Amino acid sequence: MDSQKKYPRIYSFEFFPPKNDQAAANLVLTVEQLAELKPRFCSVTFGAGGSTREKTFETVVEIQKKTGIESAPHISCIASTKASIREVLEAYRSHGIRHIVALRGDMPSGMMSAGEFRYANELVEFIRAETGRHFHIEVAAYPEVHPQAANAQADLRNFKRKVEAGADSAITQYFYSPEAYFRFIDDCEKLGIDIPIVPGIMPITNYSQLSRFSEGCGAEIPRWIRKRLEVFGDDRPSIRAFGLEVVTDLCRRLLERGAPGLHFYTLNQAEASLAIWENLGLPQ
Ligand code: FAD
């Protein structure tokens, strides 16, 4: 874990583009509350295959303009052409965006062609070749191994390819076992990977939604957490209280052992991230 201790701490919040006017109004309030905490940056996801491309663009530009906080779009390369990615990069550059989360993404169902990029390392390489050092590039990391990886070692080597292609830092898939993260960092150190790898934190507020997400992305909900959440059924206040305790403890352990910050998957809600932040005694 030692390699991670030298970096200044980075705290960030992730949002998704709102689907309608009411969701957009809710997001404005959420962003206002979380911006008060002065995160290093905010990021905005895209839909599978770039389906929210315009909405992601509008949301990122709006957050940066309104709050003055650096904002970063997620960009996926699967099913994309080089010309279309070039266009996206140019649009972001001309709107003052300097930070990107570069991903392969997942093929939307029904779409057949993989496009001109196969993996995220090719996207990182392309962004560097096209725009030099203009963008700070984040990539994804998987302490519990990406679900499509041949094995853990291959996944690590593939993560290294993204770093060698020019990634500046990484955000992990969420996890609830700190040991998975510490071991991943130790493995990265052995491979000479030397960038900040910030844990992605998913607050626990809704068990059925969390189970669905976790099945899709291969993040494990430990049995002892699942079993307790199951007992609560539809009792949302109890789920939230237990989730807050568990996730605060996870964050505390990560920071104590040298994690270089936290990236909150807010799901466009401020309350859970704010409560964890307060419990940890982070600067208000
Ligand atoms: P890659 O790094 O390309 O890896 C994908 C798989 O291919 C892995 O199994 C890897 O081991 C393997 N691989 C990589 N390179 C090679 C190679 N050269 N040769 C052979 N195999 C290789 N999804 C969304 O739809 N929208 C989002 O906004 C979004 N944001 C995310 C943010 C974070 C922080 C994270 C962790 C994930 C996010 N995802 C998002 C999910 C992500 O798109 C999926 O996990 C996707 O399946 C992989 O993307 P990647 O960039 O990690 O791919």
Side-chain angles (χ1 to χ4, degrees), residues 45-46 74 103-106 119-120 142 146 149 155 158 162:
T45 64
F46 63 88
H74 295 208
L103 301 147
R104 183 197 70 173
D106 291 309
Y119 299 108
Y142 300 87
H146 185 268
D155 206 30
N158 292 330
K162 297 193 275 194

Side-chain angles (χ1 to χ4, degrees), residues 18-159:
K19 291 191 179 65
N20 54 44
D21 290 349
Q22 202 191 330
N26 173 60
L27 180 59
V28 168
L29 294 178
T30 297
V31 169
E32 270 174 13
Q33 289 178 71
L34 294 175
E36 301 257 312
L37 305 178
K38 303 199 171 35
R40 172 71 186 76
F41 70 95
C42 292
S43 82
V44 180
T45 64
F46 63 88
S51 57
T52 63
R53 197 170 125 173
E54 273 80 37
K55 271 280 164 211
T56 298
F57 182 85
E58 284 168 23
T59 309
V60 160
V61 170
E62 184 82 359
I63 292 177
Q64 182 157 294
K65 200 167 95 192
K66 276 207 174 139
T67 63
I69 291 166
E70 190 165 295
S71 297
H74 295 208
I75 292 183
S76 77
C77 60
I78 196 119
S80 298
T81 60
K82 290 187 175 170
S84 69
I85 297 287
R86 189 175 289 124
E87 209 178 286
V88 168
L89 294 175
E90 200 34 57
Y92 281 122
R93 183 141 75 158
S94 67
H95 280 76
I97 300 297
R98 301 201 59 121
H99 202 140
I100 279 177
V101 183
L103 301 147
R104 183 197 70 173
D106 291 309
M107 197 72 150
S109 52
M111 204 178 260
M112 298 307 284
S113 160
E116 289 185 86
F117 299 88
R118 287 168 312 157
Y119 299 108
N121 65 297
E122 295 167 14
L123 175 62
V124 175
E125 202 174 299
F126 184 75
I127 298 173
R128 283 281 174 252
E130 291 282 317
T131 62
R133 297 288 320 165
H134 179 81
F135 292 107
H136 177 106
I137 304 178
E138 305 274 350
V139 289
Y142 300 87
E144 293 179 343
V145 184
H146 185 268
Q148 290 156 10
N151 56 54
Q153 203 52 35
D155 206 30
L156 256 178
R157 280 199 305 273
N158 292 330
F159 176 58

Side-chain angles (χ1 to χ4, degrees), residues 14 33 48 66 153 179 212 225 248:
E14 181 175 307
Q33 289 178 71
K66 276 207 174 139
Q153 203 52 35
E179 284 312 317
R212 214 173 44 248
I225 296 182
T248 300

